[in-house]
Amino acid sequence: MQTVFAIVLLLMICGLVVQVALSRAFRARSARLVARLRDSPQVRPVTGLPQPVHDFAVRAGAKPGSGLRIASLTQTGELRLKQGGAFCKVGAWQAIALGTPGFVWLARHDAGPVPKLRILDAYVRGAGQLEARAFGSIPLARASGPVLTLGEAYRYLAELPFAPDAILGNPEIEWRLTARNIAEARMATPAGAARVSFRFDADGDIVEMEAKGRPTLDAAGNEAKRDWRGYFRDYRQIGPRRIPATAEVGYVYPEGYEAYYRLTVTDNHLAP
């Protein structure tokens, strides 16, 4: 009996050691991506912006030639992992590059003191990555490749209202007006061109984004294209910039629009 107990105990210890090692590797990989993002170019002057786009960024407090590289946001939110699924509460931290396209988003869903779910979503140096782990160690999903890369480029553009300095300082983004109150942002990637449209309200704030046929991966890992929408609300001064305090994003399915992430920004920092 003592021998059996010793074997079980040894297996439990080995399992714990493996879980700790996997968790550390996940955190180290995330840290390397953030370090690469922090080494990205500073904002550079952008000219020829459509007037509503320029005015939005200036009103937010963005300044040309500021020498900034990164905006970092702290978020709380609700995340739906599949269509029609239940929302789970998450906390997230995100770094957004300002002088070149890029971001790293780290989210966690906790069960008491235990990290029940950790998610890494990133676009760094022209490559997209997505990874989810249970308890910080057990792999649940991992994806990369051209389809994901292009989808992550769409995400970078869609979140520009949170990073107005990138509007004035990222020359890799092309802007054009498609209607009096609608502007399209476009950028090239190794996997193709990403395009996102923004709608401005009467006060000049961006209140909605839309992208036709955003590439994504379905539950089976196959490529799919879905129309994508997001809504920005409650603009206020958060840290050094006036940005949306709340937002949501979702896909348009045959049954209609369904949000999969609702967030509240709780903090905002800028770094050179």
Side-chain angles (χ1 to χ4, degrees):
M1 180 65 81
Q2 289 181 343
T3 302
V4 173
F5 177 77
I7 293 173
V8 171
L9 181 60
L10 180 60
L11 290 174
M12 291 176 62
I13 292 173
C14 289
L16 180 60
V17 169
V18 170
Q19 284 200 19
V20 170
L22 289 173
S23 181
R24 286 179 176 174
F26 178 76
R27 292 196 300 269
R29 186 159 51 253
S30 302
R32 286 194 296 271
L33 289 172
V34 173
R36 291 174 190 166
L37 206 65
R38 294 190 187 281
D39 195 36
S40 61
Q42 296 178 340
V43 294
R44 293 155 286 172
V46 174
T47 59
L49 289 173
Q51 200 64 46
V53 176
H54 175 272
D55 292 349
F56 169 83
V58 171
R59 189 168 59 257
K63 300 174 183 178
S66 61
L68 295 170
R69 298 178 192 270
I70 298 292
S72 58
L73 308 173
T74 305
Q75 308 167 6
T76 60
E78 296 179 320
L79 179 65
R80 196 196 313 260
L81 298 176
K82 63 180 181 179
Q83 182 184 359
F87 280 101
C88 65
K89 292 185 178 181
V90 297
W93 177 85
Q94 182 173 8
I96 303 175
L98 302 175
T100 190
F103 71 87
V104 175
W105 184 74
L106 300 169
R108 58 185 290 159
H109 168 57
D110 295 336
V114 179
K116 187 175 181 181
L117 175 68
R118 284 185 177 174
I119 302 173
L120 164 66
D121 198 22
Y123 181 83
V124 178
R125 296 183 181 179
Q129 296 186 43
L130 174 63
E131 188 170 353
R133 287 182 176 261
F135 306 107
S137 59
I138 303 171
L140 295 177
R142 190 171 185 180
S144 59
V147 174
L148 183 71
T149 288
L150 187 54
E152 301 292 29
Y154 274 79
R155 174 171 177 172
Y156 175 77
L157 292 177
E159 295 180 332
L160 287 173
F162 297 118
D165 291 86
I167 295 174
L168 292 187
N170 186 346
E172 297 178 51
I173 304 171
E174 301 174 5
W175 291 90
R176 69 185 182 100
L177 284 182
T178 58
R180 180 184 57 81
N181 65 334
I182 298 176
E184 180 190 77
R186 178 189 181 278
M187 74 182 209
T189 81
R195 292 180 175 85
V196 172
S197 293
F198 298 97
R199 182 173 66 84
F200 298 81
D201 67 8
D203 295 324
D205 288 331
I206 292 174
V207 293
E208 184 178 351
M209 80 82 186
E210 183 178 20
K212 298 290 187 182
R214 182 199 182 198
T216 185
L217 298 172
D218 62 20
N222 300 316
E223 180 180 0
K225 291 187 177 181
R226 297 193 182 102
D227 290 351
W228 196 42
R229 290 182 192 165
Y231 300 91
F232 305 94
R233 308 180 182 97
D234 192 18
Y235 278 81
R236 64 177 71 175
Q237 194 77 18
I238 304 177
R241 296 292 182 262
R242 181 181 178 272
I243 59 176
T246 62
E248 73 173 53
V249 64
Y251 283 113
V252 180
Y253 298 99
E255 300 82 8
Y257 168 80
E258 179 179 283
Y260 63 80
Y261 185 44
R262 300 168 179 160
L263 68 98
T264 298
V265 178
T266 59
D267 205 358
N268 177 36
H269 294 278
L270 300 174

